[in-house]
Amino acid sequence: MAYFGDGRYTIKIDMLRTGEIRYLCWHKSNSILAEPNLILRNGKMKQAPNGENTEYVFLFEERVFTVEHIASKVKGGTNYFFIEVTDEYHKKSTWKMEQIPIPKYFRHLV
């Protein structure tokens, strides 16, 4: 569904055979073949009617993780991802990330 990152994290959002949407996050210092540093399950997907953006929402303890995927309007263009984490006090932190190529050894798992 999505594979993206920045200088600190690599993130993969996928759909399991059961239909469950899952969020996997690795610190850049770790290989994506290693156990993820964070796994969020039971995500919800919301797609805009025009198809230009999709949101994935995950609940974890008292936090809400929202990933917004903005698709490129140009074929082959860059897709952008924004992660917003809202804590129990409604304080929000946001990170901008970019789509990254999926490594060959990981493609069959996506």
Side-chain angles (χ1 to χ4, degrees), residues 21-80:
I21 298 174
R22 181 176 64 171
Y23 172 107
L24 306 168
C25 178
W26 294 265
H27 292 190
K28 275 290 192 198
S29 59
N30 294 339
S31 165
I32 60 170
L33 297 177
E35 184 73 22
N37 297 97
L38 179 63
I39 300 172
L40 305 177
R41 304 189 71 130
N42 298 313
K44 305 291 182 212
M45 182 174 72
K46 301 174 190 174
Q47 190 163 26
N50 60 11
E52 289 183 5
N53 69 330
T54 304
E55 280 189 356
Y56 303 94
V57 180
F58 301 87
L59 303 177
F60 178 70
E61 296 174 353
E62 305 235 359
R63 295 184 179 109
V64 177
F65 286 68
T66 303
V67 177
E68 182 181 15
H69 170 212
I70 300 173
S72 172
K73 293 181 182 182
V74 179
K75 187 173 180 167
T78 303
N79 290 302
Y80 291 98

Side-chain angles (χ1 to χ4, degrees), residues 5-9 28:
D6 64 4
R8 295 178 50 193
Y9 300 103
K28 275 290 192 198

Side-chain angles (χ1 to χ4, degrees), residues 76-100:
T78 303
N79 290 302
Y80 291 98
F81 295 85
F82 295 89
I83 297 179
E84 180 178 88
V85 179
T86 306
D87 69 14
E88 64 270 25
Y89 305 108
H90 303 287
K91 181 182 176 210
K92 296 179 181 185
S93 299
T94 305
W95 295 269
K96 179 182 175 186
M97 303 196 168
E98 292 187 12
Q99 185 171 5
I100 54 178

